[in-house]
Amino acid sequence: MFNQLKARFGSGLAVGVIGMIAIWIIAMVVLPQLLMVDYSFRPNLLPADIGGPKDVYSLVNYQTLFTNKIHLEIFFKTIWSSVLVTGLTLIVSYPIAFYLAKVATPQKAALCLVLLIIPFWINEILRTFAWYIILAYKGPLNALLLWLGFIHRPIRFLSGDGGVLIGMVYAYILFMIFPIYNAIESLDTNQIKAARNLGAGWIRTHWRVVIPHAKPGIATGCIMTFMLAAGSYAVPSILGSPGSRWFTQIIYNWFFEGGDWNQGAAYAFLLLVICIGFIALVMRVFKVGLGDIAK
């Protein structure tokens, strides 16, 4: 990277760019994570006791999760729901990405991309509140379904995890569409035509030609969507019911309501470990490396 920057901009500017990147990574990523890890192994003490004999490293904060059945259940439910959100987003995004990359004309593709991007100019919280209105018991969606005769009484979309799943799929769909779109766009259209001319159906063509080529994009989209879903706070807080709490809400409560930053740091670090494990799993399943994902 340094040699490429040096060849293009000169050694002085290359050093400056690399230096700024290093400062940003260290100050905004590495140090906060190290501080969180340090907090997670230490007890929650009064300021006068910090640095004293009670201030020792232990696994007590981590043990709390495994002894609290409610928190543990919410933890696993959050991970499973994040995987489900990732799968649903992939199912919705793949046909759209393929249409934009290989079916639509440049004018139609540009129009569709603009229509996809414009709603995301609005703050995520406002978009989530819009879904709260749409999915409300007396909201427009229930009114439309009643008018069409599909249902005989309103459905409580916000009484479980359904509203949260819908809101998250909508909130993170672009993070799935664009990586897949970029991957499919680089595929030679002649390969698709050749597969079709040799008698392969559309399903077989996608399975044997398109999807293998788009694996880096699919892996990137799955990783980004899962991490955003697992770490989401606004969507489950607004669209979730009391019985559909997200693990991030528990972390928030430890930090800002319980005042126990050490316990909150332990919970946050466990969630981070799970996210890293998911990244490794996706890379292994799709047989891609960091270099492939970075493209």
Side-chain angles (χ1 to χ4, degrees):
M1 181 178 178
F2 176 77
N3 292 332
Q4 294 176 345
L5 291 173
K6 182 180 178 180
R8 187 171 182 178
F9 302 109
S11 58
L13 186 58
V15 171
V17 171
I18 296 295
M20 287 188 292
I21 293 175
I23 291 173
W24 183 84
I25 292 176
I26 293 172
M28 302 299 294
V29 179
V30 177
L31 290 180
Q33 296 299 329
L34 291 177
L35 186 61
M36 182 183 69
V37 173
D38 180 69
Y39 268 51
S40 69
F41 286 103
R42 302 170 73 173
N44 183 35
L45 301 173
L46 295 173
D49 294 327
I50 296 177
K54 296 181 181 179
D55 193 1
V56 295
Y57 290 100
S58 69
L59 296 175
V60 174
N61 294 324
Y62 292 92
Q63 292 172 355
T64 301
L65 174 62
F66 298 98
T67 56
N68 190 318
K69 293 182 179 180
I70 296 177
H71 288 184
L72 188 62
E73 181 181 345
I74 294 174
F75 175 73
F76 285 117
K77 191 209 74 170
T78 299
I79 301 304
W80 161 245
S81 299
S82 299
V83 173
L84 183 58
V85 168
T86 303
L88 292 174
T89 308
L90 176 60
I91 292 172
V92 173
S93 301
Y94 180 83
I96 298 174
F98 180 79
Y99 173 80
L100 294 174
K102 294 301 177 184
V103 178
T105 62
Q107 294 78 10
K108 289 183 178 179
L111 177 61
C112 290
L113 288 173
V114 170
L115 293 176
L116 285 170
I117 293 173
I118 285 179
F120 287 81
W121 292 354
I122 303 172
N123 184 274
E124 179 183 350
I125 296 178
L126 296 180
R127 286 186 280 113
T128 305
F129 271 115
W131 273 107
Y132 182 86
I133 295 173
I134 293 172
L135 299 174
Y137 185 73
K138 294 185 178 181
L141 179 58
N142 270 319
L144 177 63
L145 294 176
L146 286 169
W147 182 71
L148 293 174
F150 291 148
I151 58 176
H152 300 291
R153 58 181 180 180
I155 301 173
R156 295 188 182 275
F157 292 104
L158 301 176
S159 63
D161 294 327
V164 177
L165 296 178
I166 294 172
M168 285 194 176
V169 170
Y170 171 77
Y172 308 129
I173 191 171
L174 290 187
F175 295 95
M176 184 71 77
I177 289 178
F178 284 141
I180 300 176
Y181 165 76
N182 289 332
I184 296 178
E185 191 179 32
S186 64
L187 174 64
D188 188 353
T189 308
N190 290 324
Q191 295 185 35
I192 300 176
K193 293 179 179 179
R196 296 289 291 160
N197 291 335
L198 290 173
W202 274 114
I203 295 178
R204 189 174 180 83
T205 300
H206 281 276
W207 185 255
R208 299 296 295 272
V209 178
V210 182
I211 292 178
H213 183 83
K215 283 195 301 183
I218 295 174
T220 302
C222 289
I223 289 171
M224 295 178 66
T225 303
F226 175 84
M227 296 188 68
L228 289 169
S232 177
Y233 177 78
V235 176
S237 296
I238 296 173
L239 298 180
S241 63
S244 60
R245 299 183 70 188
W246 218 250
F247 194 64
T248 48
Q249 295 173 280
I250 305 297
I251 296 173
Y252 179 91
N253 290 340
W254 279 122
F255 272 102
F256 300 105
E257 294 182 10
D260 194 340
W261 285 34
N262 304 84
Q263 189 65 67
Y267 276 31
F269 183 66
L270 286 172
L271 185 61
L272 175 63
V273 170
I274 292 296
C275 290
I276 294 174
F278 182 82
I279 293 173
L281 178 62
V282 169
M283 292 173 59
R284 185 176 182 85
V285 170
F286 287 95
K287 297 179 181 179
V288 296
L290 290 175
D292 299 320
I293 294 176
K295 294 178 181 178

